[in-house]
Amino acid sequence: MTTQSQGLHTHVLDTLGLEISSGQCPPGSVLRTDELAQRFDVSRTVIREVIRVLESMHLVESRRRVGVTVRPTETWNVYDPQVIRWRLAGSDRPRQLRSLTVLRSAIEPVAAGLAARHATAEQCAELTERALGMVATSRGQQLEGYLEHDIAFHRIVLNASGNEMFARLGDVVAEVLAGRTHHQVMFEDPDPAAVTLHVRLAEAVREGDPEAAERITKEIAVGALHELDVLAP
Amino acid sequence: MTTQSQGLHTHVLDTLGLEISSGQCPPGSVLRTDELAQRFDVSRTVIREVIRVLESMHLVESRRRVGVTVRPTETWNVYDPQVIRWRLAGSDRPRQLRSLTVLRSAIEPVAAGLAARHATAEQCAELTERALGMVATSRGQQLEGYLEHDIAFHRIVLNASGNEMFARLGDVVAEVLAGRTHHQVMFEDPDPAAVTLHVRLAEAVREGDPEAAERITKEIAVGALHELDVLAP
DNA sequence: TGTGACACATACGTCGTACTTTTTTGTTCC
DNA sequence: GGAACAAAAAAGTACGACGTATGTGTCACA
């Protein structure tokens, strides 16, 4: 899943990022560049580049004479898709999934309302197409196909909102949906009610009805939150 | 304003980041590490570290034999506070300010509702204190003092929501408020209606009234958007 | 015994160079 | 004209040296 073998840099970054965000290196712990270079059998050059990236994500802090210190969680750039991926792969996935879903429940209704105003004909068409795709894959253990349509659907809504900040949340939503599908044991097919709501949302957007779009999206979000409550601690 | 002189790295990163996000190096343009090293009179090591950070923000892409290419805006990590700062300092500040304000208008009402449920006594107290501070600095050209209270106020609300993703948006809100105050010519004192709404929001949170908190915050957001419409193109 | 200044050790910061790897481009040969 | 091959260009990696800040411990002095 995580990118790899396209450079030493990437591998080291991924490994360290995962270790830190999974709490394996708790905040306050100190890493030394020389040790890391030895451990990964790469030059200090590579390690330093990785550290700089980690530093830009506020995962670590590098100080002279003391080393590279892991920073407390509150300072992390939790909107960085890479960080999100690491955390979803790590130990506190449930908490992460929940806070991300709450975020979605705040953003997506507003985005859907805007989409109903601004969506182009093409976007409406693709939205409908994806909704139908969700219907078609909603039964019979076609979870992967369903997931693909689901992700595409929400991406379109976010893009159609015309707001850059919303649009760029598409990756986050994709991570959440993928994480939900892959990491939660899903015995059953997707909730039929959710499928219906997506179809109705596509209609509302197509008909240019912002209030309906917002309301329906809120319902979808409520459903997602409820699902988390049922399936997670 | 931007951090500086705490290492060559920081200076180069800041300069390049600003140049890219301000459109001075348009998407598609190519940078060469050797040239940059010459230009900034630093070693290639420093340049490479900077490039790696820029790459992690998806501002550039580095490929062998071709160089470092500036990526299209759609791929940038626009939630990175650093990127936000660069863009707010650059040329398309109005657009950026608007999309960020729309984001706030989606997030903060929900966050305020959650805060009304979850805020601790301390948080309520500090919130009230900040609201009073806003009142105290709302007249007589005390914009800097007002700004400080305003930022602190919204930070508390976001933190009190208990949701990590909301809480981490505090920096973004701070940048927006600061950008609004500093870059927009503000002849007058803050809108008295906004001040009142903040006081009432503090009350609603203290009294544990989520609906009121959400409604009042929506009003604040509408006011902020309206203000942008009036003062910006 | 307590306190302050000074020296030292340490780990990151920066540099320069040499070498490797990938990818584009251009050339040659069929 | 097209395919195989050779050369060049630029990033990727490595290594070793020195610079620099900073925590720590020591020593002298009160």
Side-chain angles (χ1 to χ4, degrees), chain B residues 3 22 28 37 51 60 99 103 112 118 152 159 166 173 175 180 199-200 203 209 216 223:
Chain B
T3 49
S22 73
I51 295 299
V60 302
S99 66
L103 176 72
H118 302 325
N159 283 329
F166 291 166
V173 173
E175 296 290 346
R180 203 175 63 174
V199 175
R200 284 178 50 205
E203 283 172 14
D209 186 342
I216 294 169

Side-chain angles (χ1 to χ4, degrees), chain B residues 10-233:
Chain B
T10 311
H11 173 242
V12 176
L13 177 63
D14 228 56
T15 307
L16 275 182
L18 201 54
E19 284 182 9
I20 292 173
S21 49
S22 73
Q24 211 166 313
C25 307
S29 51
V30 174
L31 312 169
R32 247 81 53 89
T33 54
D34 291 312
E35 285 182 13
L36 293 174
Q38 258 196 309
R39 172 182 160 196
F40 288 101
D41 193 36
V42 294
S43 73
R44 210 167 63 107
T45 312
V46 173
I47 296 296
R48 296 197 77 269
E49 286 168 11
V50 169
I51 295 299
R52 278 273 144 76
V53 172
L54 255 22
E55 204 173 21
S56 87
M57 296 169 173
H58 293 87
L59 261 62
V60 302
E61 189 186 14
S62 175
R63 283 174 58 200
R64 279 178 153 129
R65 162 74 202 199
V66 57
V68 178
T69 315
V70 177
R71 301 185 68 176
T73 319
E74 306 90 69
T75 71
W76 298 357
N77 249 333
V78 288
Y79 283 89
D80 190 315
Q82 179 112 70
V83 175
I84 291 177
R85 219 169 307 138
W86 287 331
R87 299 186 77 191
L88 282 180
S91 56
D92 64 354
R93 180 186 316 129
R95 261 173 37 83
Q96 180 71 1
L97 223 41
R98 179 173 310 271
S99 66
L100 285 172
T101 305
V102 172
L103 176 72
R104 285 185 59 199
S105 76
I107 298 275
E108 294 202 77
V110 178
L114 288 173
R117 296 182 199 278
H118 302 325
T120 66
E122 287 149 302
Q123 288 170 327
C124 290
E126 208 185 336
L127 205 58
T128 305
E129 195 180 325
R130 289 302 185 172
L132 293 181
M134 290 175 72
V135 172
T137 53
S138 63
R139 289 176 172 237
Q141 300 294 321
Q142 306 184 58
L143 284 180
E144 281 306 321
Y146 182 84
L147 173 64
E148 190 193 321
H149 289 298
D150 200 5
I151 289 177
F153 184 96
H154 288 275
R155 236 187 241 285
I156 295 166
V157 173
L158 290 168
N159 283 329
S161 75
N163 183 297
E164 180 185 31
M165 301 303 290
F166 291 166
R168 287 299 295 142
L169 225 62
D171 290 345
V172 174
V173 173
E175 296 290 346
V176 173
L177 295 178
R180 203 175 63 174
T181 301
H182 292 142
H183 296 306
Q184 247 162 216
V185 196
M186 294 190 84
F187 303 100
E188 304 159 18
D189 289 332
D191 179 12
V195 180
T196 305
L197 284 170
H198 281 78
V199 175
R200 284 178 50 205
L201 175 54
E203 283 172 14
V205 170
R206 195 173 56 234
E207 291 168 6
D209 186 342
E211 284 77 21
E214 184 167 346
R215 185 166 25 80
I216 294 169
T217 309
K218 268 184 189 157
E219 287 184 55
I220 294 178
V222 169
L225 278 170
H226 181 68
E227 198 172 306
L228 273 187
D229 286 330
V230 173
L231 294 178

Side-chain angles (χ1 to χ4, degrees), chain A residues 9 48-49 52-53 56 74-79 81 87 99-100 102-103 107 163-165 168-169, chain B residues 9 48-49 52-53 56 74-79 81 87 99-100 102-103 107 163-165 168-169:
Chain A
H9 173 86
R48 297 197 76 270
E49 286 168 10
R52 278 275 145 74
V53 172
S56 87
E74 306 91 68
T75 72
W76 296 358
N77 250 333
V78 288
Y79 283 89
R87 299 186 77 190
S99 66
L100 285 171
V102 172
L103 176 71
I107 297 274
N163 183 298
E164 180 186 31
M165 300 304 290
R168 287 300 293 141
L169 225 63
Chain B
H9 175 85
R48 296 197 77 269
E49 286 168 11
R52 278 273 144 76
V53 172
S56 87
E74 306 90 69
T75 71
W76 298 357
N77 249 333
V78 288
Y79 283 89
R87 299 186 77 191
S99 66
L100 285 172
V102 172
L103 176 72
I107 298 275
N163 183 297
E164 180 185 31
M165 301 303 290
R168 287 299 295 142
L169 225 62

